[in-house]
Amino acid sequence: GFFQSYAVEVDVKDASNATCLYAKWMMRFLIQYETNRSDYKKAALNLSSSVTHNGSICGSDTQAALLAVQFGDGHSWSINFTKTNETYQGDFITFTYNTNDTAVFPDAKRKGPITIVVKGTMHPVQLNNVFVCHNTAFFEAENVTQIFWNVTVQAFVQNGTISKKESRCRADTPTSAPTVPPTIANVTTASTTTLSPAPTTAPKPVENPDTGNYSLKSGNKTCLLATVGLQLNVSQDKPLLININPKTTSADGTCGNTTATLKLNDGNSTLIGF
């Protein structure tokens, strides 16, 4: 099923009530956990409409800035920023999920909060520039995939005013549209950005999708093969059918000892992750 994911917007103020750290973004988490039956399941953790940002810090020349949010039943996420004379960057992300949340982890074997840390999450950004990235970014660590899109952030804001100068991520171009967040096999919920209204005229019938051959390599060996035709069927006001064109779709991802991730990007702002 598809449903609207909530955007997070945090405006951190300093002692004079001026903005010192600003961010607005969308994110979700895919988590593999062990059940009471000693098998493994994947859970999707999404943001609720109620998010707090306790513990966020402006930062200074000698102290890192911290953007911290809390949501749901004991879940939290934060990123710290450091700066040089000319740039600032995100050094690491800390994510804590609480398996006592039975709505997300109904049969988790391990109970309580679990924390993971991802380092080196953001390239340096020029001071007094706002970092913008509409395209989807993945960070994977310790059975958790963190997914971000529609990101706008500026740390160490000068004079309390968000800059109009943008530093775009490599995946974006100045005319990039927000990406459709990914879906994943065996997860029945997926977040999505707002889709444009369907045309009022009757849509043309959509043919069956062409079959594509996708593969991943680990070193010089192929570690994943997929031969598949893909069609997205999104139902909102009116059904929207999208065929994934193998000729314009690139494959990326990773192969591990126990898990593999296949990411397909059709070059038209649609990304699907398995």
Side-chain angles (χ1 to χ4, degrees):
F2 285 82
F3 68 94
Q4 187 69 34
S5 179
Y6 294 95
V8 188
E9 185 171 19
V10 177
D11 189 347
V12 182
K13 306 286 188 179
D14 61 16
S16 63
N17 202 36
T19 296
C20 61
L21 174 60
Y22 175 83
K24 184 175 182 180
W25 74 102
M26 302 183 81
M27 65 180 176
R28 72 190 304 252
F29 307 90
L30 302 173
I31 303 166
Q32 180 173 276
Y33 68 98
E34 187 176 6
T35 72
N36 291 323
R37 297 182 300 277
S38 296
D39 60 355
Y40 288 85
K41 284 186 177 179
K42 283 191 173 72
L45 178 58
N46 299 278
L47 295 182
S48 63
S49 58
S50 178
V51 177
T52 59
H53 57 91
N54 300 323
S56 296
I57 300 172
C58 290
S60 64
D61 291 341
T62 58
Q63 182 183 28
L66 181 69
L67 177 65
V69 295
Q70 304 81 38
F71 58 97
D73 188 3
H75 313 296
S76 63
W77 180 92
S78 66
I79 181 172
N80 84 313
F81 298 92
T82 56
K83 72 172 182 176
T84 65
N85 291 333
E86 298 180 350
T87 64
Y88 67 91
Q89 66 182 34
D91 285 337
F92 58 85
I93 286 174
T94 303
F95 171 52
T96 298
Y97 60 96
N98 182 15
T99 56
N100 286 325
D101 185 351
T102 55
V104 181
F105 309 100
D107 51 358
K109 183 176 182 178
R110 178 180 176 182
K111 296 295 186 181
I114 300 172
T115 299
I116 65 168
V117 177
V118 181
K119 296 182 179 180
T121 59
M122 179 179 171
H123 293 290
V125 178
Q126 194 73 26
L127 283 173
N128 201 34
N129 278 25
V130 58
F131 174 76
V132 177
C133 191
H134 291 310
N135 276 271
T136 307
F138 293 81
F139 298 117
E140 299 178 15
E142 300 181 39
N143 296 325
V144 175
T145 302
Q146 303 183 52
I147 308 170
F148 305 89
W149 68 101
N150 287 356
V151 175
T152 300
V153 62
Q154 184 178 355
F156 306 102
V157 176
Q158 300 177 10
N159 302 319
T161 303
I162 305 301
S163 177
K164 294 183 179 180
K165 299 177 182 178
E166 291 187 355
S167 292
R168 289 292 187 113
C169 63
R170 294 176 181 176
D172 273 11
T173 64
T175 57
S176 289
T179 59
V180 178
T183 58
I184 188 164
N186 300 325
V187 175
T188 58
T189 60
S191 58
T192 178
T193 53
T194 303
L195 294 172
S196 301
T200 55
T201 58
K204 296 180 180 179
V206 177
E207 301 294 335
N208 289 334
D210 292 334
T211 299
N213 295 302
Y214 309 102
S215 63
L216 298 179
K217 288 186 177 294
S218 179
N220 59 357
K221 295 182 178 180
T222 299
C223 60
L224 188 149
L225 288 171
T227 300
V228 60
L230 290 171
Q231 182 182 89
L232 305 183
N233 186 336
V234 184
S235 298
Q236 289 194 340
D237 296 332
K238 291 184 179 180
L240 174 64
L241 297 179
I242 304 171
N243 279 347
I244 303 301
N245 183 359
K247 295 180 180 179
T248 60
T249 299
S250 60
D252 194 5
T254 57
C255 294
N257 292 330
T258 59
T259 61
T261 301
L262 175 65
K263 304 169 187 176
L264 301 180
N265 189 334
D266 76 339
N268 191 30
S269 298
T270 301
L271 189 147
I272 308 173
F274 297 96

